[in-house]
Amino acid sequence: MNKDVLADALAIRAMASAFDAQRGKLPVPGDPHRLPSNVAVAQQISELGKLISELGDEVLFRTVNKSPGSATFRAVSSFSAAVRPVGEAASALGEVAEQLVFLEQTEHLHDRPDAQDARKAAGRVIDEMLGTAYTALREAGDSLHAASTAVSPPSSRFRAALGRTTTPSRPTALAVPAPATTPTVPAARIVRSR
């Protein structure tokens, strides 16, 4: 396997894992007694900003250093496509931070009916934006995981291992289809791979 292709696949997988980790750090929406802290949300916005910058660096590096006929176009496309959902997640968390500031500023007004309605609305916005951030980070991670497999498909050994089972045969979601074409080798010639 081409070492550049392997490097691209590993870089894409690492970035996908970073977005999965960010998704795991998101506060759980729907609990009015456990609002996320302003500090935690600000840290996550900062971390997403760094990841967006890393995506840009990956695109720039591969765009500047690509060799003619290289397979890096798929990696460039994958990193570029992840910017949008990660930007959406950061934007949603920015809205969460704004609503948290509003709740802090109106804490002393919690007995007034008009303030209660506005504070409840802020809680709903927080829940919605946390859901938006979660979905966007899942989209970014899933697309990068798929791209890493497309850039560097599983080896024939891995596909064979997936095909072996000790249970009765039935289709599974993990089965990887065999390549559409298999290379043909003349009968008189022996080919060895490294």
Side-chain angles (χ1 to χ4, degrees):
M1 175 179 290
N2 182 331
K3 68 179 180 177
D4 291 337
V5 171
L6 183 58
D8 286 346
L10 291 174
I12 293 169
R13 284 185 195 126
M15 190 64 71
S17 295
F19 292 129
D20 293 342
Q22 286 299 315
R23 190 176 74 233
K25 292 180 185 179
L26 286 173
V28 177
D31 186 355
H33 303 293
R34 289 194 67 203
L35 287 173
S37 75
N38 280 338
V39 172
V41 172
Q43 284 175 333
Q44 199 155 18
I45 292 169
S46 177
E47 290 171 10
L48 288 177
K50 290 174 188 169
L51 288 172
I52 290 172
S53 180
E54 287 179 34
L55 285 170
D57 290 345
E58 294 288 356
V59 170
L60 179 61
F61 173 77
R62 282 169 176 76
T63 302
V64 169
N65 296 309
K66 71 178 181 281
S67 57
S70 73
T72 60
F73 292 112
R74 185 173 281 159
V76 168
S77 177
S78 300
F79 286 126
S80 299
V83 172
R84 183 195 49 77
V86 178
E88 286 177 8
S91 177
L93 289 178
E95 182 66 27
V96 169
E98 187 177 344
Q99 296 303 317
L100 288 171
V101 168
F102 170 76
L103 289 174
E104 280 184 13
Q105 289 176 337
T106 59
E107 177 65 32
H108 66 286
L109 302 173
H110 70 276
D111 291 338
R112 294 178 48 186
D114 57 339
Q116 287 177 350
D117 291 342
R119 289 172 59 80
K120 285 180 185 176
R124 287 191 297 272
V125 170
I126 289 171
D127 285 347
E128 181 182 333
M129 292 298 103
L130 287 175
T132 298
Y134 183 90
T135 300
L137 289 174
R138 186 183 66 219
E139 178 185 334
D142 288 352
S143 72
L144 288 172
H145 282 297
S148 73
T149 301
V151 167
S152 176
S155 68
S156 58
R157 289 171 125 188
F158 182 69
R159 286 192 303 270
L162 287 175
R164 286 188 296 256
T165 181
T166 57
T167 59
S169 178
R170 67 175 191 227
T172 66
L174 294 176
V176 177
T181 61
T182 56
T184 58
V185 178
R189 186 172 167 203
I190 297 174
V191 177
R192 293 183 186 205
S193 62
R194 294 181 193 212

